[in-house]
Amino acid sequence: MTDTPNPSASTSNPFRSVFLDHPASVDETFWQHFGFALTFSFWLFCAAFAALVHALIPCLFEKTGSNIIRKLYARIEHRGVTD
C-alpha cells in the first residue's frame, strides 16, 4: 500500500480545486466555463454602460439594462439542467 495522494481529491490537488472543480459542478470543461463567464461579463458590462448612460440621459436605454439582466438570469437558472 502506498501513500500516493488521490489526484481527484481537491484537498490533495490544488490545481484541480482552483481550476476544475467549479466548472465540473456545472457540467462544463474549464474552457466551456471560461467562454460562458467571458460572454456573461461582456453582457454585464453592456448593462452597466446602458445604466450609466440612462443615469445621465434618462430617456435613453430605459429598459436595456434590466432586459439584459433578465436574459442573463434566465441563462444562469438553466445551466447544468438536464431533462
Side-chain angles (χ1 to χ4, degrees):
M1 185 168 230
T2 65
D3 288 277
T4 307
N6 180 355
S8 65
S10 296
T11 56
S12 63
N13 191 337
F15 176 83
R16 182 174 216 13
S17 175
V18 171
F19 294 104
L20 302 177
D21 285 352
H22 173 66
S25 75
V26 290
D27 199 28
E28 293 176 341
T29 66
F30 171 82
W31 291 110
Q32 289 170 325
H33 189 271
F34 177 84
F36 182 89
L38 192 62
T39 301
F40 200 86
S41 68
F42 168 78
W43 286 110
L44 284 173
F45 278 113
C46 290
F49 177 75
L52 176 65
V53 172
H54 176 71
L56 297 169
I57 308 167
C59 66
L60 298 179
F61 301 117
E62 292 180 34
K63 296 182 180 182
T64 305
S66 55
N67 286 341
I68 291 171
I69 297 298
R70 264 193 287 285
K71 288 177 184 177
L72 290 175
Y73 177 76
R75 287 185 67 193
I76 284 287
E77 282 298 298
H78 297 101
R79 281 181 82 208
V81 176
T82 56
D83 293 328

